[in-house]
Amino acid sequence: MSGGFGAGEHPVDFAAHRQRRGEAGAREDFEQMLTDLVSAVTGKDAIPVRANPGDWGIDVLVGDLDGRVTIWQAKYFVNGFGESQQRQVRESFGSARKYAREKGYTIERWVLCVPCELDAPTVRWWQRWSRERRAETGVAIELWDAGGLRRRLALPEAATVRRSYYDPYRPAGPAGPAPVPPAPYGPAEVPWRGGEELCLGGDRYLLHDDAAETFAPDRSWVSREATADRVEPAAARVRLHRVAVLRDTPDAAGAREALRDRAALLSALAGARGLPRLLGLREEPGAAAVTLVTESPAGPRWREVFGPGGGPLDRFTAGSFDRFTGGPLDRLTVADVLAKAARLADALAELHRRGHSHRMLSPDTIVLTGRAYEPALRDAGLAAWPVRPGEGPEGYRAPEQVRAGPRLPPPGPHTDLHQLAAVVYHTVTGHPPLPGGSPPVRATVRGFPAAADELLARCLDADPRRRPGRAGALAAALREGRRELSRGEFS
């Protein structure tokens, strides 16, 4: 179904969000599309509301949170709408009403947005439920299902939104046949799929999984990252990061140059302990695409070894992590966490001395290597990459990555300290740190060293200016904490 699209227009396929961003990023991409669509069709400034950790039951907002608002609730139900989805809808509406009462604003209109069609039983449930809630609360309740979304995307004022999200290789402009990309750019448009073979220059790679994809806001370039096995000329486990130009723009040129800068940075670091080693930079004719190749450290991820939340793997079984013990962390494991985090802080300090920061630290980007399980960064994260709103790993973003502005310094080395402290805090306590301030580790883990606890709290401060100035300070506190745990009692 293509709605009222003109000749040559691509039909809207809401699975595009999942194809472009993967399962983990599809909902966020859909929410961003909805924000742009609401702005386009209402003529008002739509505000996306990020979870930090809660979102007050709001995905997109028009209005004033000190007065009256309209809320759009996005549910990326691309595969259908059953009882589980009905429960989520009820919970979302209840959450929106709860926060409105607590915070003192009024919801005038609540719009559910789902990129699927409803079958007859679900239509009947929706009509009954929305009618009852309207009578009970006085809130106007609407549904934008797949058909409703397509009708709005077909409006002339939404043409840019439609082309940006559902025809990403076509520049926004008057309706008409989609132009054929220049020849050198053709291969750059092919997504990377797990299990497929990729040829770059004279090298061949076997991709492990589908690549993580990020498109430029103007869709002029796409970034792809994936782990692969180099098959030829010599076997190696590698990490690939590619910037493919879809349209020549200043932003595309900047992204391409950022990847070159990262290659220069890694070359200068020369494989310093814990940091990725540069294997090469591949540039295609005409600079249609640039691909950075780094050595990928072999070993389990931090999450697979320490959690967070649920207990460590048994490190003492045949020298490998092959049994999940569950339960709280014991004293020696907590000491091990602090020791490994200290070595990561050393690696970050080397990166910071070069004027760069990682900004993507999480239990999934830290790898434990060799028989001693030495910590190493899976890749260079966002080093040398321009700061962009909403950057950083889900659940471990620093406040300045979420709400950048004149009152906070931009993301940088202080962001790495926050993210590493968040990983340690979550690992040791089993609870993610809270944005408004977290209980001390000692409230959960009896006997945890006070000095390390206090420095972790400073690193988790919402204001980057109150965090320690150096990664070395965090490393020193973690090492002293490890020594105290090794000497003292812990229960």
Side-chain angles (χ1 to χ4, degrees), residues 312-325 370-371 373:
L313 292 164
D314 186 355
R315 303 187 311 285
F316 309 107
T317 305
S320 65
F321 295 91
D322 59 4
R323 184 166 65 85
F324 190 82
T325 63
R371 292 189 63 82
Y373 301 108

Side-chain angles (χ1 to χ4, degrees), residues 22 26 55 85 92 103 131 148 163 205 230 297-298 308 347 360 435-436 450:
D55 57 11
Q85 287 73 26
S92 293
K103 306 300 180 181
R131 185 168 57 246
R163 294 187 183 114
Y205 302 92
R230 187 174 63 192
M360 279 293 289

Side-chain angles (χ1 to χ4, degrees), residues 7 27 38 42 46 62 67 72 77 160 194 236 251 273 276 294 303 323-324 326 332 334 344 391 397 444 477 481:
R27 174 181 171 174
V38 169
T42 66
V62 169
W72 280 262
F77 299 157
T160 299
D251 194 36
R273 191 174 75 170
T294 58
R303 187 185 301 280
R323 184 166 65 85
F324 190 82
L332 291 179
V334 173
L344 282 169
E391 66 168 34
R397 292 187 182 103
T444 301

Side-chain angles (χ1 to χ4, degrees), residues 59-405:
D59 287 327
V60 180
L61 169 76
V62 169
D64 188 338
L65 284 175
D66 286 324
R68 309 179 77 82
V69 299
T70 296
I71 291 172
W72 280 262
Q73 179 68 52
K75 295 293 184 184
Y76 190 63
F77 299 157
V78 74
N79 293 324
F81 201 132
E83 292 184 4
S84 173
Q85 287 73 26
Q86 293 174 18
R87 181 176 65 254
Q88 292 181 50
V89 170
R90 291 193 294 266
E91 290 173 352
S92 293
F93 183 76
S95 178
R97 289 278 299 155
K98 169 180 175 289
Y99 278 102
R101 289 192 299 269
E102 290 179 359
K103 306 300 180 181
Y105 56 88
T106 300
I107 303 173
E108 289 187 325
R109 180 175 165 226
W110 187 85
V111 185
L112 174 66
C113 303
V114 293
C116 64
E117 307 288 356
L118 277 58
D119 59 21
T122 307
V123 170
R124 185 179 186 182
W125 169 83
W126 168 259
Q127 291 175 341
R128 287 180 174 177
W129 179 84
S130 60
R131 185 168 57 246
E132 291 168 358
R133 297 292 79 73
R134 281 194 296 268
E136 173 188 332
T137 65
V139 175
I141 299 176
E142 297 179 26
L143 173 68
W144 290 8
D145 62 359
L149 288 166
R150 288 191 179 100
R151 286 193 297 275
R152 290 169 175 86
L153 285 163
L155 295 172
E157 54 267 37
T160 299
V161 180
R162 181 175 68 251
R163 294 187 183 114
S164 293
Y165 287 90
Y166 304 108
D167 188 5
Y169 307 114
R170 173 182 180 170
V180 177
Y185 295 1
E189 297 182 7
V190 180
W192 289 358
R193 300 300 184 201
E196 294 180 350
E197 190 173 281
L198 181 69
C199 294
L200 297 174
D203 296 354
R204 292 168 51 229
Y205 302 92
L206 183 64
L207 297 171
H208 285 201
D209 301 296
D210 291 359
E213 289 191 343
T214 303
F215 279 80
D218 64 355
R219 298 313 198 255
S220 64
W221 55 267
V222 58
S223 165
R224 294 189 173 98
E225 294 186 73
T227 300
D229 284 330
R230 187 174 63 192
V231 180
E232 291 181 358
R237 178 70 52 82
V238 302
R239 185 79 180 165
L240 303 173
H241 185 185
R242 176 184 179 92
V243 169
V245 176
L246 306 177
R247 290 185 290 116
D248 267 325
T249 67
D251 194 36
R256 199 167 47 206
E257 192 59 33
L259 208 55
R260 295 188 183 113
D261 290 344
R262 183 178 297 175
L265 168 66
L266 294 177
S267 177
L269 289 167
R273 191 174 75 170
L275 295 170
R277 186 167 67 91
L278 178 68
L279 295 181
L281 186 71
R282 309 281 186 262
E283 299 206 35
E284 295 183 6
V290 179
T291 306
L292 181 73
V293 186
T294 58
E295 189 174 61
S296 181
R301 295 173 300 152
W302 179 286
R303 187 185 301 280
E304 294 169 320
V305 176
F306 293 121
L313 292 164
D314 186 355
R315 303 187 311 285
F316 309 107
T317 305
S320 65
F321 295 91
D322 59 4
R323 184 166 65 85
F324 190 82
T325 63
L329 300 186
D330 60 86
R331 175 172 60 87
L332 291 179
T333 304
V334 173
D336 198 19
V337 166
L338 299 191
K340 286 176 169 49
R343 290 198 283 277
L344 282 169
D346 290 339
L348 292 170
E350 185 64 30
L351 191 62
H352 298 168
R353 278 192 286 272
R354 303 279 179 172
H356 293 277
S357 53
H358 191 277
R359 309 192 325 260
M360 279 293 289
L361 297 170
S362 80
D364 297 307
T365 60
I366 302 168
V367 178
L368 300 174
T369 68
R371 292 189 63 82
Y373 301 108
E374 285 294 318
L377 297 174
R378 180 191 66 183
D379 51 42
L382 296 174
W385 199 253
V387 171
R388 296 183 182 275
E391 66 168 34
E394 187 71 30
Y396 297 90
R397 292 187 182 103
E400 61 271 19
Q401 294 180 293
V402 177
R403 50 176 201 276

